[in-house]
Amino acid sequence: MPNEIWSTVDQYFNTLLLPPDSVLDAIIQANADAELPPYDVTPNQGRLLNLLARLCGARNVLEVGTLGGYSAVWLARALPDDGCLITLELDAKHAQVAVANIEMAGLADIVELRQGPALDSLAALESEGCSPFDLIFIDADKESNPEYFEYALKFSRRGTLIVVDNVVRDGAIMDLDNNEPGVQGIRRLAELITGNPRVDATVVQTVGSKGYDGLMLAVVNEA
Ligand code: SAH
Ligand code: DHB
Ligand code: MG
């Protein structure tokens, strides 16, 4: 459970820094109405993704794990009119809700949702010879993080930013008795990066309205 002060601080800064946004509010409501799990990034994390995409001058973004499209909308709003966000989602119902939300946000022209197992969609993207992405956000099943990260490296150029959500999970990562596939996936991801000259990475631990977790940020050094 999130600590009360973490939520209050999130609310304080969100009230002052994030303007009221009827589209984002409607997405959260639509996701709740459809009984999607509440795994969307928080508003301030959505804003962070948006700022990171703008810092990158991103035109092409890849997202793994769409849910209802909340983070996709934050990311897509950072893109120019001729930009493109490809987002991958396994669950048909999540995908359906997300497509409607993206349409409601007026972003259907620049967001492409591909439904199915992300590993299949990533293999298809590879065989299509997709051009490198400027930013890649990995936020699906945590056990596959190493495989998603390997694909992300394949789809990167020098300077691509890779962001991985939920790498701390309430500190579960440090519980040696915890061998859940998701936790193992995060440990395998970190080990994969160790000594890899292609990428410089760090983890920012976070607290807030959705508890204690963390984001990995990685910049690719060379193609
Ligand atoms: N990025 C979203 C939250 C994603 S929640 C946001 O912040 O708004 C994680 C999503 O990953 C869920 O919708 C889940 O269905 C999806 N997922 C789980 N396994 C997957 C897989 N193998 N391939 C693609 N998506 C998957
Ligand atoms: C879970 C997944 C997420 O992407 C997230 O942000 C929070 C929780 C989950 O699968 O439990
Ligand atoms: Mg997440």
Side-chain angles (χ1 to χ4, degrees), residues 39 139 142 165-166:
Y39 297 161
D139 190 22
K142 312 311 171 194
D165 198 22
N166 312 116

Side-chain angles (χ1 to χ4, degrees), residues 10-168:
D10 261 0
Q11 279 165 29
Y12 170 76
F13 283 115
N14 290 349
T15 301
L16 291 174
L17 305 183
L18 305 187
D21 191 313
S22 58
V23 169
L24 291 171
D25 290 348
I27 291 174
I28 294 301
Q29 189 59 51
N31 294 355
D33 291 346
E35 298 183 332
L36 267 47
Y39 297 161
D40 342 67
V41 294
T42 57
N44 48 315
Q45 290 168 347
R47 167 57 73 76
L48 175 63
L49 291 172
N50 179 276
L51 297 181
L52 291 171
R54 286 155 58 189
L55 276 170
C56 292
R59 306 180 71 83
N60 293 298
V61 173
L62 174 66
E63 176 179 70
V64 186
T66 317
L67 190 64
Y70 182 77
S71 55
V73 165
W74 273 109
L75 284 164
R77 283 178 172 183
L79 300 179
D81 289 345
D82 62 346
C84 176
L85 180 142
I86 297 178
T87 184
L88 311 180
E89 174 56 51
L90 172 67
D91 185 283
K93 181 175 142 185
H94 297 183
Q96 195 185 357
V97 174
V99 165
N101 285 335
I102 289 159
E103 172 80 37
M104 173 176 63
L107 292 163
D109 287 348
I110 61 167
V111 178
E112 180 189 343
L113 187 149
R114 296 188 179 200
Q115 196 236 313
L119 287 174
D120 293 355
S121 301
L122 291 162
L125 278 171
E126 186 179 20
S127 59
E128 289 165 26
C130 64
S131 51
F133 294 96
D134 306 309
L135 187 158
I136 301 172
F137 180 47
I138 299 175
D139 190 22
D141 55 307
K142 312 311 171 194
E143 58 262 45
S144 301
N145 272 341
E147 288 74 27
Y148 297 150
F149 197 86
E150 293 278 18
Y151 269 111
L153 288 177
K154 282 188 197 174
F155 298 162
S156 291
R157 50 155 176 87
R158 181 184 165 84
T160 293
L161 173 65
I162 305 172
V163 181
V164 187
D165 198 22
N166 312 116
V167 298
V168 175

